[in-house]
Amino acid sequence: VFAPGERIGPRYEIVRPLGQGGFARTFLARDVERGRAVALKTLLGRAVTDLKSIELFEREATVLVGLRHRGVPEFVEFFRTGIGGGSAAVLVMEFIDGVSLAQVIAQRTVLAPPRVLELLLELLGVLDYLHTRVPTILHRDIKPANVIVRTEGDPVLVDFGAVRNVF
């Protein structure tokens, strides 16, 4: 596991953990070359040698490369690196500064109906963008934890780990 201050790859310095899923961990990191915050999603341990995990992780990277929408994190790069005698696959993407809808729910924050409608319509715009790509992109894991509302108020759909292209 990466520690704060540790350098990953040629230019990323770990700041803190952001979350953990079934086979990957995500960290907030600083791109020391460009001076910006990024999210590093890492495939570690046994998952690096599990063909299905690798396939899903690489599919997520491949899908993100071709997407350009404010409601989807921007792809930066994908690489493999050695750590502690093992290896890790690393997906680098834009860090979305904000709170997830899961956090909003957990904090029992009440959103006014017009705000809920605004978020819903913006998310439908993101889904419309994904579904009109060729091939069509299906997210397959839409839930409050995977919707982050930027500090400016726009929702972003994150975690494309279960994504599927449909021809």
Side-chain angles (χ1 to χ4, degrees), residues 1 16-27 40-44 141 143 145-146 159:
V1 181
R16 64 179 166 84
L18 289 174
Q20 182 171 340
F23 64 91
R25 290 189 180 140
T26 305
F27 298 88
L40 296 183
K41 187 171 184 180
T42 59
L43 188 61
L44 300 165
D141 195 18
K143 59 186 179 186
N146 288 341
D159 193 355

Side-chain angles (χ1 to χ4, degrees), residues 39-54:
L40 296 183
K41 187 171 184 180
T42 59
L43 188 61
L44 300 165
R46 288 184 296 191
V48 177
T49 58
D50 176 55
L51 294 178
K52 186 65 174 173
S53 296
I54 293 169

Side-chain angles (χ1 to χ4, degrees), residues 21-137:
F23 64 91
R25 290 189 180 140
T26 305
F27 298 88
L28 171 61
R30 191 172 72 80
D31 181 337
V32 295
E33 281 183 16
R34 297 199 174 118
R36 68 176 179 170
V38 294
L40 296 183
K41 187 171 184 180
T42 59
L43 188 61
L44 300 165
R46 288 184 296 191
V48 177
T49 58
D50 176 55
L51 294 178
K52 186 65 174 173
S53 296
I54 293 169
E55 176 190 345
L56 291 172
F57 201 70
E58 289 179 346
R59 183 185 308 153
E60 179 176 8
T62 302
V63 166
L64 284 174
V65 166
L67 299 179
R68 298 285 178 271
H69 191 283
R70 181 155 171 76
V72 175
E74 175 189 347
F75 173 86
V76 176
E77 73 173 313
F78 178 81
F79 63 91
R80 293 180 186 271
T81 187
I83 58 156
S87 66
V90 181
L91 171 58
V92 185
M93 60 200 128
E94 169 190 12
F95 170 66
I96 308 300
D97 190 17
V99 296
S100 73
L101 287 182
Q103 290 170 305
V104 171
I105 292 166
Q107 295 166 355
R108 298 185 181 273
T109 303
V110 177
L111 298 176
R115 177 64 177 140
V116 172
L117 183 59
E118 178 185 357
L119 288 171
L120 177 62
L121 290 174
E122 289 181 31
L123 283 170
L124 286 173
V126 175
L127 293 175
D128 182 60
Y129 170 78
L130 295 173
H131 295 174
T132 56
R133 301 299 93 208
V134 177
T136 296
I137 297 169

